Amino acid sequence: MAATTPAPLTARALLLDMDGTLVNSDAVVERCWRRWADRQGLDGDEVLKVVHGRQGYATMAVLLPDRPMEQNHADNRVMLAEETADLDGVVPVAGAPAFMDAIAGLPHALVTSADATLAAARMGAAGLRMPETRITAECVGASKPDPEGFLKGAAELGFTPAECVVFEDSEAGIQAGRAAGMRIVGVGPRAAAFAPDLYVPDLTRLRVEAGADGTITLTALP
């Protein structure tokens, strides 16, 4: 039996994760987190299974549940500085430049677990336009998978959660979008396992159409 074509999603605003969704920073993430894992005596492969999508301190809390949170925040500050200084191999996800051009006139926001400095560094290294509306680590009290960031992004754009579609690559990010009451476009190999409402292997496989009534139609291409 032939595979069915997934139905398009319609939205009025788009909320965009950065790492793994717009920017491929996996090389940097792996380098920095393997160094941290070595310092903690942890297995780097196991650490890399849980780092994506969360703020650093939240990942550390999952991996070292008995460690004081102050130490996680201190290590996270070091990690952010290391990641911001290391841009080797940071590139756009395939199709991201054209996608950002296509949505330039549409309501959208960046919602990332990176802080503002790291977000600017990575978007710049990837040659991508920074959205005017952005929710970075400093804007929230809780990391993904908590929905706070996505809910703030929707509120700043002036839309209800039901009117928003989230673009995410990670389990924590998809959980956050769902908890916010939003539909999900999953981007990239990590997202495929978590049943997003629409899945694309990269952004070259997505068509964006803006309607005269303000609706945005998102269609996965074969």
Side-chain angles (χ1 to χ4, degrees), residues 65-101:
D66 297 326
R67 194 165 77 149
M69 190 57 79
E70 307 86 70
Q71 185 61 49
N72 295 335
H73 282 288
D75 276 15
N76 190 45
R77 287 190 288 272
V78 174
M79 179 74 69
L80 285 169
E82 289 181 357
E83 290 187 302
T84 302
D86 184 355
L87 298 174
D88 187 25
V90 174
V91 296
V93 166
F99 170 74
M100 293 302 287
D101 288 345

Side-chain angles (χ1 to χ4, degrees), residues 130-204:
M130 176 64 83
E132 289 183 19
T133 302
R134 42 196 181 267
I135 306 297
T136 56
E138 302 94 330
C139 303
V140 297
S143 169
K144 299 172 187 176
D146 190 281
E148 181 185 1
F150 288 126
L151 291 172
K152 282 196 168 184
E156 288 211 12
L157 292 174
F159 293 92
T160 66
E163 294 175 308
C164 297
V165 165
V166 163
F167 282 67
E168 266 288 359
D169 73 300
S170 70
E171 180 180 17
I174 289 172
Q175 289 175 343
R178 286 217 178 98
M182 300 172 185
R183 291 153 299 144
I184 314 292
V185 173
V187 180
R190 282 189 290 268
F194 304 108
D197 298 282
L198 195 69
Y199 172 73
V200 290
D202 60 48
L203 292 169
T204 67

Side-chain angles (χ1 to χ4, degrees), residues 10-13 106-107 159 163 209-217:
T10 58
R12 301 189 76 84
L106 305 175
F159 293 92
E163 294 175 308
E209 297 169 287
D213 62 351
T215 60
I216 305 165
T217 302

